[in-house]
Amino acid sequence: MSSSISEQLQTLGIKKHRPSGRDNDQMREVKITRNFTKHAEGSVLVEFGETKVLCTATVERGVPRFLRGSGQGWVTAEYGMLPRSTTTRNAREAAKGKQGGRTVEIQRLIGRSLRAALDLNKLGENTITLDCDVLQADGGTRTASITGAFVALQDAINVLKQDKNGAMKGDPIKQAIAAVSVGIFEGEAVLDLDYAEDSKAETDMNVIMTSKGGFIEVQGTAEGAPYTQEELNAMLDLARKGISEIVELQQEALAE
Amino acid sequence: MSSSISEQLQTLGIKKHRPSGRDNDQMREVKITRNFTKHAEGSVLVEFGETKVLCTATVERGVPRFLRGSGQGWVTAEYGMLPRSTTTRNAREAAKGKQGGRTVEIQRLIGRSLRAALDLNKLGENTITLDCDVLQADGGTRTASITGAFVALQDAINVLKQDKNGAMKGDPIKQAIAAVSVGIFEGEAVLDLDYAEDSKAETDMNVIMTSKGGFIEVQGTAEGAPYTQEELNAMLDLARKGISEIVELQQEALAE
Amino acid sequence: MSSSISEQLQTLGIKKHRPSGRDNDQMREVKITRNFTKHAEGSVLVEFGETKVLCTATVERGVPRFLRGSGQGWVTAEYGMLPRSTTTRNAREAAKGKQGGRTVEIQRLIGRSLRAALDLNKLGENTITLDCDVLQADGGTRTASITGAFVALQDAINVLKQDKNGAMKGDPIKQAIAAVSVGIFEGEAVLDLDYAEDSKAETDMNVIMTSKGGFIEVQGTAEGAPYTQEELNAMLDLARKGISEIVELQQEALAE
Amino acid sequence: MSSSISEQLQTLGIKKHRPSGRDNDQMREVKITRNFTKHAEGSVLVEFGETKVLCTATVERGVPRFLRGSGQGWVTAEYGMLPRSTTTRNAREAAKGKQGGRTVEIQRLIGRSLRAALDLNKLGENTITLDCDVLQADGGTRTASITGAFVALQDAINVLKQDKNGAMKGDPIKQAIAAVSVGIFEGEAVLDLDYAEDSKAETDMNVIMTSKGGFIEVQGTAEGAPYTQEELNAMLDLARKGISEIVELQQEALAE
Amino acid sequence: MSSSISEQLQTLGIKKHRPSGRDNDQMREVKITRNFTKHAEGSVLVEFGETKVLCTATVERGVPRFLRGSGQGWVTAEYGMLPRSTTTRNAREAAKGKQGGRTVEIQRLIGRSLRAALDLNKLGENTITLDCDVLQADGGTRTASITGAFVALQDAINVLKQDKNGAMKGDPIKQAIAAVSVGIFEGEAVLDLDYAEDSKAETDMNVIMTSKGGFIEVQGTAEGAPYTQEELNAMLDLARKGISEIVELQQEALAE
Amino acid sequence: MSSSISEQLQTLGIKKHRPSGRDNDQMREVKITRNFTKHAEGSVLVEFGETKVLCTATVERGVPRFLRGSGQGWVTAEYGMLPRSTTTRNAREAAKGKQGGRTVEIQRLIGRSLRAALDLNKLGENTITLDCDVLQADGGTRTASITGAFVALQDAINVLKQDKNGAMKGDPIKQAIAAVSVGIFEGEAVLDLDYAEDSKAETDMNVIMTSKGGFIEVQGTAEGAPYTQEELNAMLDLARKGISEIVELQQEALAE
């Protein structure tokens, strides 16, 4: 807290900008473990460094009322943090009787992003629910969630493909998607912020992209000073690099 | 619905891309009426064309628990739509017993943006609550809300300045802010989407900027196909143009 | 607050009982503006002096479960105050997650009164919802709501009449209704109390009547001392006078 | 249901207007049993014919926040119906997670009426809560509740009088109060409606009066046709008669 | 509180272990009053000494969704305490908007126990709801509730038997059940704890048995020191004795 | 489902009663992994075969209001199942806005049991919250939760011991506790039921014991036929055996 690794390194003349000692364009180690639990059609533990999220995909026949009879499927997401996934305990939302604003905001983002990965018409009248539950938080839980949820979604789609009564009309996956956070930390653009950076960053941006480099969602918030077009571009360049690495890891995991 | 004004005009050889006949870089008429109601410290009716939002600013002594004793102030926002501000009636959130996800997402955005306009230390231990209630909706309610709320906030700050016991330490306004929506509609970047465009746009982006052109928040979502860096840049250029016009109208209203 | 207009006038030998200087049997200026917003089937801004309420009427096909198949329609009402419609801010009911007792009581009164204006059998299996949202409060919001809601209801019925598939069986409006508050203020019966009177009145009474002078609802509460039969009669006489004036204004507005 | 007692009597040439065979100005048998349960400071079972309500009064030191330090006391009421107090079962409000509109309306009426019986300044900073729980319903539960609650309140005040640390400043009871329902049933004014009448009455009116004949609250609702001034007066005359009888029974019960 | 009956008796050389002076294996007086209220199919006031619970059974056609079409019936229970059934007032759960954990735990126990009394297949697609509302509490409300609810259930079954359209397939009652509490109080096993014992007992155990002595449910909790197998056996022996007495009283009540 | 492992084995003449092929007195493999996540004072993954529960212990200064100033500490528990920890997805309780009855019942049991392990006076005015979140369910989640929570509690106590300002007065751990389920499955008493057994068992019993063999809680429910004293004893014998094995594994884990 007082004297970070990066400060100590700088004192030693070894210039490292980030608390973790990572280069500005360096991701944390990303791990993707499929079949982490046994009941769900897709179950993925995704780790971005110390951030660990369990993403499960559940397939259910039928769709919400507003889609019934349309022949179209639906994808939705729910997000939660275990009460002690964080440094200090957060009150359990089930006990409080309501999901907080941050939770609602994040699960809407996850659902929206995953829907962009699919052709919902090809999905047929099936609903896939992605549950992203944070076991341990260290920054970037929403981008890790989207990254892991895509792999769980792919596994669930594969289960549906085996199902003769599954109502799918061809492969609904239009494009692979992944997500990463970028930001301005102590005046420099950095990739994949951990909590130590995230809590002090001047700008915090979440980027969701397709495997081909198109933008699905960009959300950039100035926490301190406003950011410039140049800073925005620098962050997007880092995001593009990070996402291409993540997409590769997703494909490797799915190939196993 | 079938044959829009723009299509009819195009048939007549008068090329207009947008349903409203506006140019791609043309704002709707923006009106800002101060002192719309009498009780609040700031009360502004903001109109972006047919979108009408009543923004009030309330000053209260004291701050939420997490800031007590810090000498710092707080700004928060709440958003609501009157049940029949929309084409079909939306169930009243107070009757449902909970604010919907969209409401929560929007009011967090408004609060975050307005906090960026202020130096909360200079505000002293006062809380300003911005209530943005949509009387009539036609697209762009969140950006209209932020635009109007800034004016109401300025009025409330002026009231606080007159108050000898108000605990302020100098003028807390760091920078004027305003917001506008941009998007990709039928393949082209357009400024200030109305509902007819918004409901069909391929990409929908909300941009909040300072009067000096810095970004406070950028939120861009691909509703259909992913968008490219070029499209992102085109949208941001339009936003910059729109916001400079809106900032001028804010200043004029405040000068009255 | 300390020395009211009426006290100053009395000091000057000009005897005026009421804070506003009105005669005891004098209404505030009542204004009724139709088509205040554009989406609703009926949309009326009603003003009783500084009290301003937006009343919208929404027509929806179908009826609540308990009436399905009965051939009968339904009318219901919801009431809300914008958080800063009042001198100090009231917490938003949607954020609190529940409507307060006063809100519930008022919206039941509005719904009951408006149902009394209609022959629900002639309405057919349609539901009309009256939303009364207070933009600015200065006493008498419930009686202003009923008065404005009747006009919005009439507009909505007119829309239904144009609708060939609307299921109505003749004109469902049985009788025009209007409402006004009366009370005992500083020992005298007064008509149409504003907030300055309402907050100090010994007795507060809301009267809803038909255009022909029949009672729909009388609710009279002693806030201080009990009231006598004579005082009750005096208040009802004032109410009768006020309502006949209001009914005339409603008819004028509907004739435009 | 098909052929009521009154119809049978009329067939026999014995003219009785009411289903119960009562005269129009005849109360049901009213019973007041004190000390019905043992823990509460006041505990009264009140019966109006087959309507049975348990009214308890609880004394607690201290007052709600808005009265702290004022030296003034508070009286509040809560109302509930046991799920099977009625002909068909009503869902338990505790299980539904919310009190219905009717419940809220009634408990506000009870609280308001009982506060009118007291000089809250003399009560000192004590809070008395009146719980009115309907064991069996047959019309008139709210007026029975007020009638029984007054007796429970008197008992609770007597307990407080014995308490040397009770903070009371003299006897806070200003006036005895009681309540009764009246209405227009098949064209005639009747006293103390039971369920058979209440469910079909053209007008339903609840009257709360002091033992000296002053009005505390009058609430009269036209369920069918509007009512006239003459009908209103006829109902109030019946209410006056009924209340004088009830007040006597209250005093007898308290004298035991 | 300071010097209990049992202490006084012991001082007098009359050795009595329990505050009430009862023998360790002695029940309080148990009273069972059928038809306590008039609307329900079964309505029983059960008293275990000063503990008084009103148990009603409501028969409704149809079953919850998960049983529709199964031909099987359902039995469920709800439990509540009147706010002032206890020494100090408990907040009304309907007003708090949620049933407490203790309530939920108890009503699940009651429902589970009563279902064990029936062959749900023979019940046919009917639902019986048992409402157990505590009018006065003095320990043992859950076991009194089960005991009284069985009698109300039997009455409701008898009503169903008379109903030609009732869908029952023979007598669904498999076995009579009753319940009693036992515990370790000041080192000795005692039967049917009242509040004075319950609040200080080292172990508190609720036992639900059939009339033939089979266990339906045993729930024993160490409040202080752990209990031994010997203590467990001693408590179960007392429960067996108590239940055989209660079953007899149930049968007597049903025979009336 | 149709032909279980045990049935197949029996067909082959290899007599195995249980679906899993375990002996009646055989536990599933129990694993206890400490420090499973990094933020909590105690973090234990406990596995009973395929049942996996993450138990964290959080230490916070201060106690609930009812204990303030008493010098005594508090231990409480919360329980949750991840939505897809089960065969089919359970709706997320945070999204439903309320914890279900089963959840409430279980977390009360966990809290009560863990409090029995401690001398709350020695704990000082600290609160320890045990969060038991089921990652994967296969029967016995509540007994696994208690078993794991005790280890997490011990770790949290050890952290508190290091804390000079921690307010503890000696070691608050009075006794180690552990829990196991037993039941009657197809007529025989079995130890540590998995889901295949649990869902069909005639009797289901949860037993919480101290390391020295005292009972903390016994909860035994007849799901089908009532159970006898002999069956009860047989189940308790199995529980005793299982718990002694579990306690050993807890101690081994704590010794690492």
Side-chain angles (χ1 to χ4, degrees), chain F residues 148-181:
Chain F
F150 175 73
V151 178
L153 176 66
Q154 177 71 70
D155 274 336
I157 294 291
N158 290 342
V159 169
L160 259 177
K161 280 183 190 163
Q162 307 302 322
D163 181 351
K164 289 180 184 166
N165 305 314
M168 286 218 302
K169 313 159 198 160
D171 186 347
I173 305 244
K174 288 193 303 190
Q175 52 205 357
I177 66 162
V180 78
S181 75

Side-chain angles (χ1 to χ4, degrees), chain D residues 59 61 126 157-168:
Chain D
V59 177
R61 288 298 154 78
N126 295 296
I157 294 291
N158 290 342
V159 170
L160 259 177
K161 280 182 190 164
Q162 307 302 322
D163 181 350
K164 288 179 185 166
N165 305 314
M168 285 218 301

Side-chain angles (χ1 to χ4, degrees), chain D residues 119 121-124 157 161 167-173:
Chain D
D119 180 334
N121 281 309
K122 289 196 179 153
L123 181 55
I157 294 291
K161 280 182 190 164
M168 285 218 301
K169 313 158 199 161
D171 186 346
I173 305 243

